Each structure stands twice: as structure tokens, then as C-alpha cells.
């Protein structure tokens, strides 16, 4: 292992140049006057004053809009009345009667144009009836369809309700009362010439009673807009007031 007589003589490789047997050592060039904490002039960050942000717009209009929203806010009393400011005082709107007027005009238009709007129930509901009630409904299925009901014969004095006119509550607990109102209306219509007006009026009363969900600010505003869009917003179909205005003078006398 230590015999090197037959080994190839490998010259030593030196990457550094040699000058007459002298091999210079590498040196590091540096500037002894360099200060790393001294920022050169060309890289100095200019000192500027704090930026001034200018807002465009009218602050006054913003606060005026907020004030306008507050002034037009609606107040509900026990789910029965809506109170809103009016020019001469305050306006009080009866919620149920307002709904009656809205539904009446909606149903009357659907009957006149023969374009009923039906909302489907979540699940079909079977309702057992007496024989007389069953015969009354089955003999007037076409009339029920014109009103917006989707009622079908199930047999054995039973009907199935698949849909109700637009505006009615689809809650199953309200269906028996709705069918009772429908049968009462069908009985009266047999002796009335203007059955469209009477049917729309009866449907509107039934729908207003069933639509008892609480109004929020948005739905209350929508109700007023729909009421004021009616042909006769201040009266129900049977002549009852939907709204009244309490003047400032009346308030002054009470206070």
C-alpha cells in the first residue's frame, strides 16, 4: 500500500499565478473612509410635510339626507297602525284595511283580465269537508281557478289544495279558515250579479286577515307605496277608511 514507485507523478495544481517562485496572496480592497451610516446625497429621502387629503362633496347635503331619513321614518303601533309625518300633521294608516284595498284591486284586475296569480303551497294539503261543502266546491272549481285557487278533487268528500291566490298566507294552519271564507263567498255569489266585485272584496278581506306577519321598516314603506298607487287609496271596497290625518291643531287641542 505504501509502494509509490509505480505511481504516476501528479504535479501540484495551483490556480494562483506565480511570479518567479513568488505567489501573491489575495487582498480585499476597501475604502477605510466608508461610513455605512452615512446616506449618500443621491439617496436621501426628501422631507415633506404631512399629506393633505381633500374631500369633494357637500357635507351639508349628507346631514340633510340623514335628517330626511329620520323625518320619514315610520312608526308602527301594536302591528295595527303605521304612523308617518304629513304636511299638516301626522298620517295614521290602518294596516289591515290598507291590505284589503291593495288585494281588492289586485284580485279585481285578475278577475277582469282572467289572469289569476297563484302561489303554490309547499306541500299539498288535503281538507275533509261535509257533503254539502264538498259539492259546493266541486261544482265551482272553475270559479275557484279564476280566483287563483288550485283546488283538486280527492274524492270521499275531500279536496286537496295545491295553491292559493297571491297574497294569502301559505301556512297550513290558516287553510281551514281560508276555505271557509271561500265557501261563504261562493254561496253569496250565486245571488249577486256583479260577482267579480264581491268575490274580489271577499278574497281581499280573507287575505288581509291571513297576512298577519309583522312589518319591518322596508315592508311597511312598501305597503304605503302600494296603497298610494291604488285607484282609491283612502277607502276599502266596502267604504271603510284606510287612513286618517291628525292635524297639528288637533294635537295642540289635545295637549
Amino acid at each position: 500500500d505504501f509502494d509509490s514507485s509505480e505511481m504516476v507523478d501528479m504535479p501540484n495544481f495551483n490556480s494562483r499565478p506565480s511570479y518567479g517562485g513568488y505567489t501573491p496572496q489575495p487582498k480585499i480592497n476597501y475604502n477605510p473612509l466608508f461610513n455605512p451610516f452615512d446616506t449618500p446625497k443621491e439617496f436621501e429621502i426628501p422631507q415633506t410635510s404631512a399629506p393633505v387629503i381633500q374631500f369633494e362633496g357637500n357635507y351639508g347635503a349628507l346631514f340633510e339626507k340623514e335628517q330626511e331619513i329620520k323625518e320619514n321614518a315610520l312608526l308602527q303601533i301594536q302591528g295595527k297602525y303605521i304612523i308617518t309625518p304629513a304636511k299638516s300633521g301626522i298620517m295614521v294608516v290602518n294596516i289591515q284595511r290598507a291590505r284589503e284595498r291593495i288585494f281588492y284591486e289586485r284580485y279585481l284586475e285578475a278577475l277582469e283580465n282572467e289572469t289569476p296569480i297563484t302561489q303554490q303551497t309547499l306541500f299539498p294539503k288535503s281538507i275533509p269537508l261535509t257533503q254539502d261543502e264538498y259539492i259546493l266546491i266541486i261544482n265551482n272549481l272553475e270559479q275557484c281557478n279564476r280566483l287563483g285557487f288550485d283546488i283538486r278533487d280527492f274524492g270521499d268528500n275531500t279536496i286537496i289544495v295545491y295553491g292559493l291566490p297571491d297574497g294569502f298566507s301559505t301556512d297550513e294552519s290558516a287553510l281551514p279558515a281560508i276555505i271557509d271564507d271561500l265557501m261563504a263567498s261562493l254561496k253569496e255569489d250565486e245571488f249577486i250579479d256583479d260577482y267579480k266585485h264581491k268575490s274580489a272584496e271577499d278574497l281581499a278581506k280573507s287575505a288581509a286577515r291571513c297576512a298577519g306577519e309583522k312589518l319591518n321598516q322596508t315592508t311597511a314603506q312598501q305597503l304605503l307605496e302600494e296603497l298610494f298607487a291604488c285607484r282609491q287609496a283612502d277607502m276599502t271596497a266596502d267604504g271603510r277608511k284606510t287612513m286618517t290625518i291628525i292635524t297639528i291643531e288637533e294635537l295642540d287641542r289635545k295637549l
Side-chain angles (χ1 to χ4, degrees):
D1 292 339
F2 297 97
D3 186 8
S4 60
S5 59
E6 296 180 0
M7 294 182 63
V8 179
D9 187 12
M10 297 292 294
N12 292 327
F13 178 77
N14 192 346
S15 59
R16 294 192 292 270
S18 177
Y19 303 95
Y22 169 72
T23 301
Q25 298 296 323
K27 295 182 179 180
I28 300 176
N29 296 324
Y30 67 95
N31 184 2
L33 300 179
F34 173 74
N35 185 355
F37 300 100
D38 185 13
T39 305
K41 295 295 184 179
E42 58 270 22
F43 295 104
E44 287 185 358
I45 301 175
Q47 299 295 326
T48 60
S49 59
V52 178
I53 302 176
Q54 296 183 354
F55 294 94
E56 296 182 359
N58 187 351
Y59 283 106
L62 176 63
F63 291 110
E64 289 175 3
K65 185 66 176 178
E66 181 180 357
Q67 184 67 21
E68 179 182 352
I69 294 175
K70 291 181 179 179
E71 290 178 356
N72 293 334
L74 306 177
L75 176 64
Q76 292 188 60
I77 305 298
Q78 297 183 354
K80 297 178 63 177
Y81 301 100
I82 296 175
I83 298 179
T84 182
K87 289 183 178 180
S88 57
I90 57 175
M91 178 183 294
V92 182
V93 178
N94 186 298
I95 295 177
Q96 181 170 329
R97 293 182 184 180
R99 284 172 169 160
E100 283 187 31
R101 185 68 209 186
I102 295 169
F103 289 145
Y104 167 74
E105 295 199 4
R106 186 183 303 175
Y107 297 147
L108 183 61
E109 181 180 0
L111 284 171
E112 291 176 345
N113 298 331
E114 297 184 356
T115 56
I117 302 175
T118 303
Q119 56 180 351
Q120 298 298 319
T121 57
L122 185 60
F123 299 104
K125 176 67 174 178
S126 61
I127 299 180
L129 303 172
T130 65
Q131 185 174 7
D132 292 339
E133 294 172 341
Y134 173 76
I135 293 174
L136 176 64
I137 293 290
I138 297 304
N139 289 342
N140 291 276
L141 281 181
E142 184 178 352
Q143 173 69 2
C144 293
N145 292 334
R146 285 197 297 265
L147 295 174
F149 289 92
D150 186 359
I151 298 176
R152 305 176 193 181
D153 184 8
F154 189 68
D156 195 20
N157 295 336
T158 303
I159 60 173
I160 297 183
V161 179
Y162 284 85
L164 297 172
D166 180 38
F168 276 83
S169 171
T170 57
D171 187 359
E172 290 188 1
S173 61
L175 276 177
I178 295 173
I179 297 302
D180 287 343
D181 291 340
L182 173 62
M183 290 187 294
S185 177
L186 292 175
K187 291 177 182 178
E188 293 179 358
D189 290 347
E190 295 177 351
F191 309 99
I192 296 176
D193 295 333
D194 190 6
Y195 76 92
K196 292 181 180 180
H197 165 78
K198 190 65 174 64
S199 296
E201 180 183 339
D202 292 340
L203 277 179
K205 290 180 180 179
S206 180
R209 284 195 300 267
C210 295
E213 69 275 5
K214 186 177 180 180
L215 299 175
N216 55 35
Q217 192 74 8
T218 301
T219 53
Q221 182 65 40
Q222 182 180 359
L223 179 71
L224 293 185
E225 292 175 359
E226 292 180 355
L227 177 62
F228 296 144
C230 292
R231 291 190 292 268
Q232 189 175 357
D234 60 332
M235 292 285 183
T236 62
D238 56 358
R240 292 170 296 150
K241 287 185 177 181
T242 61
M243 67 185 76
T244 188
I245 293 181
I246 302 177
T247 64
I248 297 297
E249 290 75 12
E250 291 176 313
L251 291 174
D252 290 339
R253 286 196 297 270
K254 293 180 178 295
L255 298 176

